[in-house]
Amino acid sequence: VVMAGDRRATMGHEIAQRDIEKVFAADDHSIIGIAGAAGPAIEIVKLFQLELLHFEKIEGSPLSLEGKANRLASMIRENLGMAFQGLVVIPLFAGWDTTHKIGRIFSYDATGGRYEEHAFHSVGSGSAFARGSLKKLYRTGLDEQGAATAAVQSLYDAADDDSATGGPDLTRGIFPVLIGASAAGVRRFSDDEVERISRE
C-alpha cells in the first residue's frame, strides 16, 4: 500500500505553509495521513506513534493492524468535542497486515467511525477530485511504482480543482510525501524519487 500527501496548509483563503507534511510512518508496518485542522491532527499523530511504540515495548510484540485502526478510531472519538468547535481531524490509516499478508486501508469520520476501504481512498478538501482520478488510474496488481505514480497524479488532479490542495511544485522543488508499506516494512520515497515520478 502507498500513501501520498500534498504539502499545502491553508488559513482561510491564504496559503499558510507550502511544505507541511501530512503523511507519516505510524510504526514499522503502518502509515497515517491527516486532513483537517493541522495542529490537533499532528498532535494525534505524535500521540498515536507513541502509543504504538509503548504497546510494543510493554507487550513485546506490535499491536495487530486491526488493533491499531481501532485505537486510532478511539482517539478521533476523543476529539469529538473539539470537532464540534470546528477543529475536525480526519485521518487515513493504512499498512501491511502481517497476519493476513495484505495491504489494508482504513478511513474515518469525525465521530471516530472506522471503515475499511478497498483498492484506494482519499481524504481532505480535494479528496473528491483525487478519488475521481484514482478511479481511472487504479487497477489490480499495481506495483509500488505504479501505485506511487497514480497517487501523485491524483494529487496533481486534485490541486487543479481545489485551492487547498498543493500538487507537485516543480518551480520550488516541493513534492508530495510518499510512504509505502509492505512485508519489508515502511519506506519513505526519497525526494529524488518523488521528483522523478512528478516530472514523468
Side-chain angles (χ1 to χ4, degrees):
V1 63
V2 174
M3 190 180 296
D6 78 297
R7 308 290 297 277
R8 179 175 291 174
T10 55
M11 191 165 43
H13 296 291
E14 296 180 12
I15 297 173
Q17 189 173 348
R18 295 180 191 279
D19 62 352
I20 190 173
E21 296 197 2
K22 301 178 186 178
V23 177
F24 309 87
D27 66 2
D28 291 341
H29 285 93
S30 62
I31 310 162
I32 182 171
I34 55 169
I42 291 171
E43 283 183 23
I44 286 174
V45 167
K46 288 179 180 177
L47 184 57
F48 184 57
Q49 291 168 326
L50 186 62
E51 285 194 17
L52 296 184
L53 183 62
H54 180 72
F55 181 92
E56 189 168 348
K57 284 186 176 181
I58 297 298
E59 297 296 325
S61 63
L63 194 58
S64 69
L65 191 68
E66 190 108 11
K68 295 171 195 176
N70 289 340
R71 178 60 196 125
L72 185 55
S74 296
M75 294 176 78
I76 298 306
R77 198 169 302 113
E78 291 164 7
N79 189 59
L80 190 57
M82 297 297 284
F84 280 130
Q85 296 178 48
L87 298 175
V88 179
V89 174
I90 305 291
L92 184 62
F93 180 67
W96 182 258
D97 189 323
T98 56
T99 303
H100 298 98
K101 313 296 185 206
I102 55 169
R104 297 172 72 186
I105 304 168
F106 298 92
S107 67
Y108 300 83
D109 61 31
T111 66
R114 181 194 71 113
Y115 314 96
E116 184 160 5
E117 302 296 339
H118 303 284
F120 57 86
H121 194 67
S122 60
V123 296
S125 62
S127 63
F129 306 113
R131 198 170 309 125
S133 182
L134 287 168
K135 283 180 183 178
K136 302 293 184 191
L137 299 170
Y138 177 83
R139 65 181 184 280
T140 303
L142 281 177
D143 63 8
E144 184 185 60
Q145 287 299 309
T149 299
V152 171
Q153 287 181 351
S154 73
L155 285 176
Y156 183 87
D157 288 344
D160 199 40
D161 289 304
D162 176 56
S163 63
T165 302
D169 188 335
L170 302 177
T171 304
R172 292 182 180 88
I174 300 171
F175 301 99
V177 173
L178 264 80
I179 301 179
S182 67
V186 166
R187 178 179 90 84
R188 181 175 171 143
F189 287 65
S190 71
D191 288 342
D192 289 343
E193 286 178 286
V194 182
E195 180 177 0
R196 178 183 55 75
I197 292 167
S198 299
R199 289 188 181 280
E200 285 176 0

